[in-house]
Amino acid sequence: MIVTPLCELLGIQHPIVQGGMAWVSTAELVVAVSEAGGLGVIGAGNAPPDFVRDQVRQVKNGTDRPFAVNVPLFSPFVEKVLEICIEEQVPVVATGAGSPAQYIPRLKEAGIKVIPVVASVALAKRLERAGADAVVAEGMESGGHIGDVATLPLVPQVVDAVSIPVIAAGGIADGRGLAAALTLGAAGVQMGTRFICATECIAHINYKDKIVQAGDRATETAGHSTGHPVRALRNPMVREFVRLEKEGVSEGMILEFGTGKLRLAVVEGDTVNGSMMAGQSAGLVNDIAPARELIQRIVSDAEAILLSLSDCVR
Ligand code: TUI
C-alpha cells in the first residue's frame, strides 16, 4: 500500500486520480477507477447540465466510493454544472483551464472538496488562500489544454509554495512516474492518457489503438496563437491546425476549426480529422487493461521502486 495525506483527505485507498477528460471520462470509467480505490473523475467538458446530472447519478448508482466532477472553466455551463454538483452532493469538484477562486466559498459551504488544476506556482498559492483542499500541478507534457512549465520543475516548486496536498500530472503513466512524483513531494498523481486505454473507458477503439501505438515523439501542440495550446497525437488534423496558425488565420477561424474535433476522435473514432488529445505519456502506454489492473500494477511497481531505492544510499 502507498498511503499519503491525499488518501486521507479524499477517503481513497491509492493516491491515484483519473483525469477528468471531456467526452472520455464518463460514468463507466469513473465507477471502475473509484471501485478500484482511486478517484474517478467525470469530465464535464462543455456538456449540457442535464448530461452532467445524469452522469453523476450513474456514478452514484455504480459506486459508494468518492468521485469527482471536473469542470473546465471555459464551459458555457460552469455555474449550472456547479449548482448540480451541490444539489447532487458530489464529494469533490476539480476545475481546469482557469481560476475557480470565485466559486470556492459556495462549494466549501456545501461540504464539497475543491481540487483545481493549476499550471503555475502563482495560481496554486492564490487558490490555497481561496480555500482549495489540494491542487493538481499539471506539467506541459499533459494532453489537452496545457500550461508552459514541465512537470519535473513545476511539481517541487508548487510543493514548496503551498501546504495543501499537491497531485502531480503530466507525463505520468506507470509506477515509475508515481514513485518519481512522490519523490518530488507530491501526495499523489493524476493520469489522463493512461486511463483512456482502460477497458472500461468508452473512447473509440481507434483512438485507444493510436495511443497504444504512439512513441516518444507522437504528440504535438497546436493553438498557441489562441492562448489555449492543446497537446494531441500528431495527425492530419493537427498538421492542418498548425499550418493555419502559421498562415496567420484569425483566432476566430482557428477556434472554429477546433470545434467538435475532440468528439470526432473520441466518439466517431476519426483518427484523421479528429483531435486525439493525449499527453507525452502516450509513449508509455502499451496496452488496454481494466482500471483495477492498471492501478494495482502502478502501485505495486511504485512500491518496489521506492523500497529498492534505499539500496543506493550509502
Ligand atoms: O483543462 C485542462 N485540460 C483540458 S480542458 C480540455 S477541453 C478542450 N476542448 C477543446 C479545445 C480545448 C480544450 C482539454 N484539456 N487541464 C487543466 C489545466 N488547466 N491545464 C492548464 C490549466 C490552467 C491554465 C491557466 C489553469 C489555470 C490557468 O490560469 C489562468 C489564470 O486565470 O490564472
Side-chain angles (χ1 to χ4, degrees):
M1 288 286 279
I2 295 180
V3 180
T4 72
L6 184 70
C7 301
E8 282 141 39
L9 174 71
L10 300 178
I12 55 179
Q13 286 170 296
H14 309 296
I16 294 180
V17 176
Q18 163 246 312
M21 300 163 281
W23 294 104
V24 171
S25 304
T26 61
E28 292 84 348
L29 178 62
V30 175
V31 167
V33 170
S34 287
E35 279 289 289
L39 186 75
V41 184
I42 295 170
N46 285 335
D50 283 347
F51 176 85
V52 180
R53 191 191 298 277
D54 184 61
Q55 288 287 309
V56 169
R57 290 188 176 167
Q58 281 188 48
V59 172
K60 284 196 208 163
N61 284 334
T63 184
D64 291 328
R65 304 244 173 131
F67 67 96
V69 174
N70 178 295
V71 189
L73 295 168
F74 52 62
S75 162
F77 306 114
V78 174
E79 310 232 344
K80 189 67 196 136
V81 168
L82 292 177
E83 218 34 64
I84 285 170
C85 291
I86 291 168
E87 282 166 28
E88 295 289 332
Q89 295 177 294
V90 166
V92 182
V93 163
T95 63
S99 169
Q102 66 182 121
Y103 306 115
I104 293 180
R106 177 91 182 87
L107 291 166
K108 304 284 302 178
E109 252 168 54
I112 295 178
K113 299 210 165 64
V114 183
I115 307 186
V117 179
V118 303
S120 70
V121 168
L123 188 59
K125 283 164 87 167
R126 245 193 290 149
L127 293 174
E128 178 181 45
R129 279 199 300 274
D133 294 279
V135 287
V136 176
E138 192 188 89
M140 47 82 84
E141 297 93 324
S142 304
H145 173 57
I146 51 171
D148 51 13
V149 185
T151 304
L152 199 61
L154 179 66
V155 171
Q157 291 182 81
V158 173
V159 166
D160 286 346
V162 300
S163 314
I164 50 178
V166 176
I167 300 159
I172 300 169
D174 60 19
R176 294 169 293 187
L178 172 55
L182 297 175
T183 305
L184 296 174
V189 294
Q190 175 179 282
M191 298 183 294
T193 305
R194 177 59 275 192
F195 282 115
I196 298 175
C197 291
T199 312
E200 298 89 347
C201 174
I202 55 95
H204 198 284
I205 188 67
N206 295 354
Y207 180 24
K208 293 185 178 188
D209 282 344
K210 288 288 182 196
I211 291 175
V212 169
Q213 290 155 15
D216 56 345
R217 304 191 60 235
T219 72
E220 184 164 354
T221 60
H224 292 273
S225 66
T226 65
H228 304 291
V230 168
R231 183 181 299 283
L233 295 182
R234 227 179 239 128
N235 70 348
M237 184 272 167
V238 175
R239 277 189 211 105
E240 179 63 7
F241 203 123
V242 171
R243 196 186 66 76
L244 288 173
E245 276 192 297
K246 278 200 184 121
E247 266 186 10
V249 166
S250 75
E251 186 182 325
M253 273 182 72
I254 297 266
L255 287 173
E256 197 182 307
F257 180 74
T259 304
K261 296 293 196 284
L262 178 61
R263 185 192 163 279
L264 211 52
V266 179
V267 181
E268 310 288 337
D270 186 338
T271 61
V272 174
N273 304 301
S275 170
M276 294 182 283
M277 291 185 191
Q280 291 188 336
S281 69
L284 290 167
V285 174
N286 300 316
D287 64 355
I288 297 168
R292 182 179 298 277
E293 191 184 318
L294 294 175
I295 290 175
Q296 280 170 355
R297 209 195 281 169
I298 290 164
V299 169
S300 71
D301 286 354
E303 280 170 359
I305 292 165
L306 292 169
L307 289 172
S308 74
L309 279 176
S310 65
D311 293 348
C312 309
V313 183
R314 295 291 138 85

mmCIF file of all heavy atoms in Angstrom, residues 166-204:
data_model
loop_
_atom_site.group_PDB
_atom_site.id
_atom_site.type_symbol
_atom_site.label_atom_id
_atom_site.label_comp_id
_atom_site.label_asym_id
_atom_site.label_seq_id
_atom_site.Cartn_x
_atom_site.Cartn_y
_atom_site.Cartn_z
ATOM 1 N N VAL A 166 -0.362 18.238 -2.987
ATOM 2 C CA VAL A 166 -0.145 18.523 -4.412
ATOM 3 C C VAL A 166 -0.188 17.196 -5.170
ATOM 4 O O VAL A 166 0.463 16.221 -4.770
ATOM 5 C CB VAL A 166 1.229 19.207 -4.629
ATOM 6 C CG1 VAL A 166 1.508 19.407 -6.116
ATOM 7 C CG2 VAL A 166 1.274 20.540 -3.879
ATOM 8 N N ILE A 167 -0.967 17.182 -6.224
ATOM 9 C CA ILE A 167 -1.106 15.991 -7.069
ATOM 10 C C ILE A 167 -0.341 16.282 -8.358
ATOM 11 O O ILE A 167 -0.597 17.310 -9.000
ATOM 12 C CB ILE A 167 -2.596 15.728 -7.359
ATOM 13 C CG1 ILE A 167 -3.361 15.507 -6.042
ATOM 14 C CG2 ILE A 167 -2.773 14.538 -8.307
ATOM 15 C CD1 ILE A 167 -4.862 15.730 -6.150
ATOM 16 N N ALA A 168 0.603 15.416 -8.716
ATOM 17 C CA ALA A 168 1.417 15.655 -9.913
ATOM 18 C C ALA A 168 0.715 15.104 -11.146
ATOM 19 O O ALA A 168 0.125 14.021 -11.106
ATOM 20 C CB ALA A 168 2.782 14.988 -9.753
ATOM 21 N N ALA A 169 0.780 15.854 -12.245
ATOM 22 C CA ALA A 169 0.188 15.386 -13.501
ATOM 23 C C ALA A 169 1.054 15.829 -14.667
ATOM 24 O O ALA A 169 1.727 16.860 -14.602
ATOM 25 C CB ALA A 169 -1.229 15.941 -13.658
ATOM 26 N N GLY A 170 1.024 15.031 -15.731
ATOM 27 C CA GLY A 170 1.791 15.371 -16.927
ATOM 28 C C GLY A 170 2.957 14.420 -17.093
ATOM 29 O O GLY A 170 3.939 14.499 -16.357
ATOM 30 N N GLY A 171 2.844 13.489 -18.035
ATOM 31 C CA GLY A 171 3.956 12.581 -18.315
ATOM 32 C C GLY A 171 3.983 11.351 -17.438
ATOM 33 O O GLY A 171 4.950 10.587 -17.475
ATOM 34 N N ILE A 172 2.929 11.139 -16.643
ATOM 35 C CA ILE A 172 2.923 10.023 -15.694
ATOM 36 C C ILE A 172 1.967 8.932 -16.179
ATOM 37 O O ILE A 172 0.792 9.210 -16.452
ATOM 38 C CB ILE A 172 2.496 10.512 -14.293
ATOM 39 C CG1 ILE A 172 3.482 11.594 -13.809
ATOM 40 C CG2 ILE A 172 2.442 9.339 -13.298
ATOM 41 C CD1 ILE A 172 3.025 12.337 -12.576
ATOM 42 N N ALA A 173 2.464 7.711 -16.301
ATOM 43 C CA ALA A 173 1.590 6.627 -16.770
ATOM 44 C C ALA A 173 1.924 5.285 -16.146
ATOM 45 O O ALA A 173 1.289 4.288 -16.465
ATOM 46 C CB ALA A 173 1.676 6.505 -18.301
ATOM 47 N N ASP A 174 2.942 5.244 -15.272
ATOM 48 C CA ASP A 174 3.299 3.947 -14.683
ATOM 49 C C ASP A 174 3.842 4.119 -13.270
ATOM 50 O O ASP A 174 3.862 5.233 -12.730
ATOM 51 C CB ASP A 174 4.280 3.190 -15.604
ATOM 52 C CG ASP A 174 5.575 3.958 -15.844
ATOM 53 O OD1 ASP A 174 5.897 4.867 -15.052
ATOM 54 O OD2 ASP A 174 6.272 3.629 -16.828
ATOM 55 N N GLY A 175 4.292 3.001 -12.702
ATOM 56 C CA GLY A 175 4.772 3.023 -11.318
ATOM 57 C C GLY A 175 5.996 3.907 -11.144
ATOM 58 O O GLY A 175 6.191 4.512 -10.086
ATOM 59 N N ARG A 176 6.806 3.994 -12.202
ATOM 60 C CA ARG A 176 7.986 4.864 -12.113
ATOM 61 C C ARG A 176 7.564 6.312 -11.962
ATOM 62 O O ARG A 176 8.157 7.085 -11.206
ATOM 63 C CB ARG A 176 8.866 4.686 -13.361
ATOM 64 C CG ARG A 176 9.470 3.306 -13.446
ATOM 65 C CD ARG A 176 10.116 3.042 -14.782
ATOM 66 N NE ARG A 176 9.129 2.995 -15.881
ATOM 67 C CZ ARG A 176 9.422 2.652 -17.125
ATOM 68 N NH1 ARG A 176 10.663 2.324 -17.440
ATOM 69 N NH2 ARG A 176 8.494 2.621 -18.066
ATOM 70 N N GLY A 177 6.507 6.690 -12.684
ATOM 71 C CA GLY A 177 6.002 8.061 -12.584
ATOM 72 C C GLY A 177 5.430 8.348 -11.211
ATOM 73 O O GLY A 177 5.634 9.440 -10.658
ATOM 74 N N LEU A 178 4.710 7.373 -10.649
ATOM 75 C CA LEU A 178 4.150 7.572 -9.302
ATOM 76 C C LEU A 178 5.281 7.712 -8.282
ATOM 77 O O LEU A 178 5.267 8.627 -7.450
ATOM 78 C CB LEU A 178 3.215 6.408 -8.935
ATOM 79 C CG LEU A 178 2.703 6.364 -7.494
ATOM 80 C CD1 LEU A 178 2.008 7.660 -7.084
ATOM 81 C CD2 LEU A 178 1.739 5.179 -7.300
ATOM 82 N N ALA A 179 6.280 6.829 -8.367
ATOM 83 C CA ALA A 179 7.408 6.907 -7.424
ATOM 84 C C ALA A 179 8.122 8.248 -7.576
ATOM 85 O O ALA A 179 8.486 8.896 -6.587
ATOM 86 C CB ALA A 179 8.374 5.746 -7.674
ATOM 87 N N ALA A 180 8.319 8.691 -8.817
ATOM 88 C CA ALA A 180 9.007 9.968 -9.063
ATOM 89 C C ALA A 180 8.209 11.129 -8.477
ATOM 90 O O ALA A 180 8.767 12.031 -7.846
ATOM 91 C CB ALA A 180 9.212 10.165 -10.565
ATOM 92 N N ALA A 181 6.895 11.093 -8.665
ATOM 93 C CA ALA A 181 6.036 12.184 -8.165
ATOM 94 C C ALA A 181 6.121 12.265 -6.643
ATOM 95 O O ALA A 181 6.238 13.367 -6.079
ATOM 96 C CB ALA A 181 4.592 11.953 -8.608
ATOM 97 N N LEU A 182 6.102 11.114 -5.984
ATOM 98 C CA LEU A 182 6.197 11.107 -4.516
ATOM 99 C C LEU A 182 7.555 11.654 -4.088
ATOM 100 O O LEU A 182 7.662 12.395 -3.104
ATOM 101 C CB LEU A 182 5.969 9.699 -3.972
ATOM 102 C CG LEU A 182 4.581 9.103 -4.233
ATOM 103 C CD1 LEU A 182 4.512 7.659 -3.754
ATOM 104 C CD2 LEU A 182 3.467 9.923 -3.565
ATOM 105 N N THR A 183 8.580 11.317 -4.853
ATOM 106 C CA THR A 183 9.926 11.806 -4.550
ATOM 107 C C THR A 183 9.996 13.335 -4.672
ATOM 108 O O THR A 183 10.719 14.000 -3.940
ATOM 109 C CB THR A 183 10.949 11.138 -5.497
ATOM 110 O OG1 THR A 183 10.805 9.724 -5.374
ATOM 111 C CG2 THR A 183 12.372 11.529 -5.168
ATOM 112 N N LEU A 184 9.223 13.891 -5.580
ATOM 113 C CA LEU A 184 9.192 15.352 -5.764
ATOM 114 C C LEU A 184 8.381 16.049 -4.672
ATOM 115 O O LEU A 184 8.299 17.274 -4.647
ATOM 116 C CB LEU A 184 8.591 15.700 -7.130
ATOM 117 C CG LEU A 184 9.381 15.231 -8.365
ATOM 118 C CD1 LEU A 184 8.592 15.529 -9.633
ATOM 119 C CD2 LEU A 184 10.756 15.895 -8.417
ATOM 120 N N GLY A 185 7.748 15.265 -3.814
ATOM 121 C CA GLY A 185 6.963 15.854 -2.724
ATOM 122 C C GLY A 185 5.469 15.847 -2.981
ATOM 123 O O GLY A 185 4.694 16.365 -2.171
ATOM 124 N N ALA A 186 5.052 15.281 -4.114
ATOM 125 C CA ALA A 186 3.619 15.205 -4.397
ATOM 126 C C ALA A 186 2.965 14.163 -3.490
ATOM 127 O O ALA A 186 3.624 13.236 -3.008
ATOM 128 C CB ALA A 186 3.390 14.836 -5.863
ATOM 129 N N ALA A 187 1.662 14.332 -3.272
ATOM 130 C CA ALA A 187 0.907 13.394 -2.424
ATOM 131 C C ALA A 187 0.145 12.399 -3.287
ATOM 132 O O ALA A 187 -0.613 11.574 -2.760
ATOM 133 C CB ALA A 187 -0.047 14.172 -1.533
ATOM 134 N N GLY A 188 0.320 12.474 -4.595
ATOM 135 C CA GLY A 188 -0.372 11.556 -5.492
ATOM 136 C C GLY A 188 -0.180 11.978 -6.932
ATOM 137 O O GLY A 188 0.533 12.955 -7.213
ATOM 138 N N VAL A 189 -0.808 11.234 -7.827
ATOM 139 C CA VAL A 189 -0.703 11.558 -9.256
ATOM 140 C C VAL A 189 -2.089 11.627 -9.886
ATOM 141 O O VAL A 189 -3.041 11.002 -9.407
ATOM 142 C CB VAL A 189 0.125 10.500 -10.033
ATOM 143 C CG1 VAL A 189 1.573 10.522 -9.583
ATOM 144 C CG2 VAL A 189 -0.465 9.097 -9.910
ATOM 145 N N GLN A 190 -2.175 12.404 -10.954
ATOM 146 C CA GLN A 190 -3.359 12.358 -11.823
ATOM 147 C C GLN A 190 -2.881 11.867 -13.178
ATOM 148 O O GLN A 190 -1.867 12.340 -13.703
ATOM 149 C CB GLN A 190 -3.991 13.737 -11.960
ATOM 150 C CG GLN A 190 -5.157 13.735 -12.955
ATOM 151 C CD GLN A 190 -5.814 15.088 -13.076
ATOM 152 O OE1 GLN A 190 -6.586 15.493 -12.246
ATOM 153 N NE2 GLN A 190 -5.474 15.806 -14.146
ATOM 154 N N MET A 191 -3.605 10.900 -13.733
ATOM 155 C CA MET A 191 -3.272 10.375 -15.056
ATOM 156 C C MET A 191 -4.503 10.421 -15.951
ATOM 157 O O MET A 191 -5.582 9.968 -15.547
ATOM 158 C CB MET A 191 -2.802 8.918 -14.935
ATOM 159 C CG MET A 191 -1.534 8.765 -14.103
ATOM 160 S SD MET A 191 -0.956 7.058 -14.067
ATOM 161 C CE MET A 191 -2.278 6.291 -13.182
ATOM 162 N N GLY A 192 -4.327 10.971 -17.142
ATOM 163 C CA GLY A 192 -5.418 11.009 -18.106
ATOM 164 C C GLY A 192 -5.193 9.978 -19.202
ATOM 165 O O GLY A 192 -5.941 9.009 -19.342
ATOM 166 N N THR A 193 -4.103 10.177 -19.960
ATOM 167 C CA THR A 193 -3.814 9.330 -21.121
ATOM 168 C C THR A 193 -3.832 7.835 -20.757
ATOM 169 O O THR A 193 -4.395 7.022 -21.488
ATOM 170 C CB THR A 193 -2.448 9.736 -21.701
ATOM 171 O OG1 THR A 193 -2.493 11.145 -21.986
ATOM 172 C CG2 THR A 193 -2.132 8.977 -22.971
ATOM 173 N N ARG A 194 -3.218 7.483 -19.622
ATOM 174 C CA ARG A 194 -3.178 6.064 -19.216
ATOM 175 C C ARG A 194 -4.602 5.505 -19.112
ATOM 176 O O ARG A 194 -4.872 4.384 -19.540
ATOM 177 C CB ARG A 194 -2.427 5.924 -17.883
ATOM 178 C CG ARG A 194 -2.323 4.556 -17.255
ATOM 179 C CD ARG A 194 -1.647 3.473 -18.088
ATOM 180 N NE ARG A 194 -2.536 2.804 -19.027
ATOM 181 C CZ ARG A 194 -2.239 1.682 -19.683
ATOM 182 N NH1 ARG A 194 -1.053 1.098 -19.552
ATOM 183 N NH2 ARG A 194 -3.093 1.146 -20.514
ATOM 184 N N PHE A 195 -5.525 6.315 -18.562
ATOM 185 C CA PHE A 195 -6.882 5.801 -18.348
ATOM 186 C C PHE A 195 -7.751 5.836 -19.609
ATOM 187 O O PHE A 195 -8.807 5.212 -19.632
ATOM 188 C CB PHE A 195 -7.556 6.540 -17.188
ATOM 189 C CG PHE A 195 -7.086 6.071 -15.837
ATOM 190 C CD1 PHE A 195 -6.394 6.917 -14.983
ATOM 191 C CD2 PHE A 195 -7.328 4.763 -15.415
ATOM 192 C CE1 PHE A 195 -5.957 6.482 -13.730
ATOM 193 C CE2 PHE A 195 -6.893 4.314 -14.168
ATOM 194 C CZ PHE A 195 -6.205 5.172 -13.326
ATOM 195 N N ILE A 196 -7.311 6.556 -20.657
ATOM 196 C CA ILE A 196 -8.061 6.455 -21.925
ATOM 197 C C ILE A 196 -8.004 4.995 -22.389
ATOM 198 O O ILE A 196 -8.967 4.461 -22.943
ATOM 199 C CB ILE A 196 -7.468 7.386 -23.020
ATOM 200 C CG1 ILE A 196 -7.548 8.851 -22.598
ATOM 201 C CG2 ILE A 196 -8.215 7.174 -24.353
ATOM 202 C CD1 ILE A 196 -6.868 9.815 -23.577
ATOM 203 N N CYS A 197 -6.859 4.352 -22.111
ATOM 204 C CA CYS A 197 -6.684 2.948 -22.521
ATOM 205 C C CYS A 197 -7.092 1.964 -21.428
ATOM 206 O O CYS A 197 -6.564 0.844 -21.377
ATOM 207 C CB CYS A 197 -5.263 2.730 -23.014
ATOM 208 S SG CYS A 197 -4.977 3.589 -24.578
ATOM 209 N N ALA A 198 -8.000 2.379 -20.540
ATOM 210 C CA ALA A 198 -8.639 1.416 -19.629
ATOM 211 C C ALA A 198 -9.756 0.727 -20.417
ATOM 212 O O ALA A 198 -10.418 1.360 -21.256
ATOM 213 C CB ALA A 198 -9.219 2.137 -18.418
ATOM 214 N N THR A 199 -9.959 -0.534 -20.156
ATOM 215 C CA THR A 199 -11.002 -1.305 -20.845
ATOM 216 C C THR A 199 -12.364 -0.628 -20.695
ATOM 217 O O THR A 199 -13.153 -0.575 -21.652
ATOM 218 C CB THR A 199 -11.082 -2.729 -20.245
ATOM 219 O OG1 THR A 199 -9.757 -3.241 -20.157
ATOM 220 C CG2 THR A 199 -11.943 -3.640 -21.070
ATOM 221 N N GLU A 200 -12.631 -0.097 -19.504
ATOM 222 C CA GLU A 200 -13.962 0.475 -19.210
ATOM 223 C C GLU A 200 -14.184 1.830 -19.879
ATOM 224 O O GLU A 200 -15.319 2.324 -19.912
ATOM 225 C CB GLU A 200 -14.137 0.644 -17.692
ATOM 226 C CG GLU A 200 -14.091 -0.656 -16.903
ATOM 227 C CD GLU A 200 -12.670 -1.039 -16.482
ATOM 228 O OE1 GLU A 200 -11.695 -0.441 -17.006
ATOM 229 O OE2 GLU A 200 -12.537 -1.939 -15.635
ATOM 230 N N CYS A 201 -13.127 2.459 -20.378
ATOM 231 C CA CYS A 201 -13.274 3.786 -20.992
ATOM 232 C C CYS A 201 -14.018 3.648 -22.313
ATOM 233 O O CYS A 201 -13.673 2.795 -23.140
ATOM 234 C CB CYS A 201 -11.895 4.402 -21.216
ATOM 235 S SG CYS A 201 -11.980 5.945 -22.120
ATOM 236 N N ILE A 202 -15.008 4.509 -22.528
ATOM 237 C CA ILE A 202 -15.866 4.366 -23.711
ATOM 238 C C ILE A 202 -15.255 4.983 -24.978
ATOM 239 O O ILE A 202 -15.860 4.915 -26.040
ATOM 240 C CB ILE A 202 -17.278 4.962 -23.473
ATOM 241 C CG1 ILE A 202 -17.208 6.420 -23.026
ATOM 242 C CG2 ILE A 202 -18.067 4.158 -22.444
ATOM 243 C CD1 ILE A 202 -17.333 7.426 -24.084
ATOM 244 N N ALA A 203 -14.065 5.551 -24.868
ATOM 245 C CA ALA A 203 -13.431 6.150 -26.061
ATOM 246 C C ALA A 203 -13.334 5.105 -27.179
ATOM 247 O O ALA A 203 -13.156 3.909 -26.916
ATOM 248 C CB ALA A 203 -12.042 6.675 -25.714
ATOM 249 N N HIS A 204 -13.433 5.586 -28.420
ATOM 250 C CA HIS A 204 -13.420 4.691 -29.594
ATOM 251 C C HIS A 204 -12.123 3.886 -29.644
ATOM 252 O O HIS A 204 -11.044 4.410 -29.328
ATOM 253 C CB HIS A 204 -13.562 5.547 -30.859
ATOM 254 C CG HIS A 204 -13.992 4.759 -32.045
ATOM 255 N ND1 HIS A 204 -13.130 3.932 -32.742
ATOM 256 C CD2 HIS A 204 -15.191 4.640 -32.662
ATOM 257 C CE1 HIS A 204 -13.777 3.362 -33.733
ATOM 258 N NE2 HIS A 204 -15.042 3.769 -33.705
#
